[in-house]
Amino acid sequence: MSCGEPHETECAEVLDHLYEFLDHEMPDSDCTKFETHFGECSPCLEKYGLEQAVKKLVKRCCGSDDVPSDLRSKVMGRIELIRSGQAVPDCDITAEPDVPAGSVTADADVTADADVTADAGATADADVTADHSATG
């Protein structure tokens, strides 16, 4: 979204970092630039007002839910990985394994239907049935 008017801080930058502004997670100098932009740009001000209202509604409706104590550190760790440009693992790297170290036991019946679409637009359907048992 852009109002089409020139601004010191572009609409795209403001909208890309809107939640950082809403959550007070940016330096004061950037907050000042955003406040100036909102004073000049009614479409961005409207978007800010909408997102602020949604955030308040979510807080009112879901604000009393208990959050696991280690969630914040896990989320902040993942954000730091992303900001540093490092690869982010798909799984929780801090999770404790359920199986004692040195022992592997698996007994699984797996049935899956998969519809896979490649980047080139090719589509493949696969039916997979497996029965795997391993003890080590």
Side-chain angles (χ1 to χ4, degrees):
M1 169 195 333
S2 176
C3 67
E5 300 292 324
H7 300 286
E8 182 180 333
T9 307
E10 295 294 323
C11 296
E13 180 182 350
V14 170
L15 297 176
D16 285 346
H17 299 282
L18 186 56
Y19 281 97
E20 292 171 55
F21 178 80
L22 281 167
D23 295 336
H24 309 287
E25 296 177 346
M26 59 179 15
D28 290 341
S29 60
D30 289 342
C31 288
T32 302
K33 290 186 340 186
F34 277 44
E35 290 164 356
T36 300
H37 184 91
F38 293 136
E40 300 171 346
C41 181
S42 59
C44 288
L45 178 62
E46 184 178 332
K47 179 72 172 167
Y48 165 72
L50 175 66
E51 296 301 329
Q52 187 177 42
V54 168
K55 184 176 171 153
K56 285 180 182 179
L57 178 64
V58 169
K59 183 177 181 178
R60 188 179 78 221
C61 294
C62 305
S64 62
D65 293 345
D66 290 333
V67 177
S69 59
D70 62 339
L71 178 62
R72 178 174 172 74
S73 63
K74 287 180 182 179
V75 169
M76 294 307 292
R78 191 159 285 225
I79 289 171
E80 289 303 317
L81 285 174
I82 292 169
R83 284 184 176 164
S84 69
Q86 295 179 26
V88 180
D90 290 335
C91 62
D92 181 4
I93 59 174
T94 62
E96 295 295 321
D98 293 335
V99 179
S103 66
V104 177
T105 302
D107 186 8
D109 291 327
V110 179
T111 302
D113 292 324
D115 183 16
V116 180
T117 304
D119 288 336
T123 301
D125 292 322
D127 290 329
V128 179
T129 302
D131 183 6
H132 298 283
S133 297
T135 305

